[in-house]
Amino acid sequence: MKPKPIIFIDFDGTLCFDKYWRSLPPERYEIVQSFIFGKDSTLVNDWMKGKYTAEEINHLLAEKMGVPYEELWALFVRDCETMQVSLEVLEDISSLRDRYTVILITGNMDSFTRFTVPALHLDQYFDYINNSFFAGKLKDDSKGAAFMEYAKSLGVSITDCFLIDNSLKACESFTDLGGTSYLITPERQVGYFLKRFA
């Protein structure tokens, strides 16, 4: 029996647009943005590669903001657990699984697996979930090695693999490997591309 083609789907900016710490007042949220997600991406990349835990990051932030850690941590966990993903989109993705292997592949943090996945029951809609925190590498590291590892382990040619992602870099890496990528844009969201597989 021929292995099923693979559809890789990104999370942040593709399935979900909610941000960590989004419930903070604007002035404090700006501190988060500049400290964690600013010009120097070393800290966020290290977190996404498993070098820091969510607790350690929140301790750093609480100290920087001068707020109690417990208060910030509770807000952070709540924001992780209440991220919004379209149920219709998730059901459309799940409906493809009889003909495709569907993999959620995300550059993300331990908090995604610990809080977001169980709260949204994401594991019910995908065959596999790949989180860079536990993989120890981002999906476009080493020219997209993570994609090739899945293709090889599932016995699928990369030419029979697809990626839906909002990252141009990830899409270019995937295309360079020989796969077909679909770049999310404001005009073309994930539902637009899922129709191609229906």
Side-chain angles (χ1 to χ4, degrees):
M1 188 173 156
K2 189 181 176 188
K4 292 186 284 188
I6 301 171
I7 304 174
F8 294 97
I9 303 176
D10 173 49
F11 185 74
D12 180 51
T14 298
L15 289 178
C16 181
F17 297 89
D18 288 334
K19 302 298 182 187
Y20 291 142
W21 298 286
R22 65 187 178 279
S23 297
L24 282 170
E27 64 278 5
R28 286 187 178 164
Y29 184 73
E30 284 307 311
I31 295 172
V32 171
Q33 288 303 299
S34 59
F35 183 63
I36 306 282
F37 304 103
K39 288 179 183 173
D40 183 355
S41 58
T42 305
L43 184 61
V44 69
N45 283 341
D46 283 349
W47 186 13
M48 289 194 291
K49 292 181 182 183
K51 295 177 183 176
Y52 293 96
T53 64
E55 285 87 349
E56 289 170 324
I57 294 293
N58 276 275
H59 270 294
L60 288 172
L61 269 175
E63 195 175 310
K64 189 157 189 68
M65 291 182 195
V67 299
Y69 165 76
E70 293 76 13
E71 184 184 301
L72 185 63
W73 177 252
L75 177 145
F76 174 76
V77 172
R78 189 170 63 248
D79 281 356
C80 291
E81 293 175 339
T82 56
M83 289 187 152
Q84 298 292 307
V85 178
S86 163
L87 184 58
E88 183 184 352
V89 166
L90 289 175
E91 288 174 347
D92 286 348
I93 288 168
S94 191
S95 72
L96 300 174
R97 292 165 68 187
D98 56 339
R99 290 175 292 119
Y100 298 89
T101 297
V102 185
I103 300 174
L104 178 59
I105 187 161
T106 177
N108 223 305
M109 295 77 169
D110 54 331
S111 43
F112 177 75
T113 301
R114 291 165 61 191
F115 308 124
T116 307
V117 170
L120 303 184
H121 308 291
L122 292 176
D123 53 335
Q124 295 179 17
Y125 301 97
F126 294 87
D127 296 300
Y128 301 94
I129 295 178
N130 178 286
N131 179 352
S132 63
F133 180 92
F134 296 100
K137 61 180 175 238
L138 301 174
K139 58 190 154 190
D140 47 21
D141 282 353
S142 306
K143 299 179 180 178
F147 299 119
M148 292 303 292
E149 286 165 14
Y150 271 107
K152 188 176 178 183
S153 69
L154 295 170
V156 180
S157 167
I158 194 69
T159 57
D160 291 326
C161 297
F162 305 87
L163 171 67
I164 303 174
D165 204 310
N166 72 316
S167 163
L168 180 59
K169 185 181 176 188
C171 286
E172 287 175 343
S173 295
F174 194 77
T175 303
D176 288 346
L177 292 171
T180 301
S181 64
Y182 299 113
L183 179 67
I184 294 290
T185 65
E187 298 76 32
R188 293 182 173 180
Q189 297 292 312
V190 64
Y192 173 87
F193 296 114
L194 289 174
K195 288 187 178 76
R196 294 172 181 245
F197 303 101

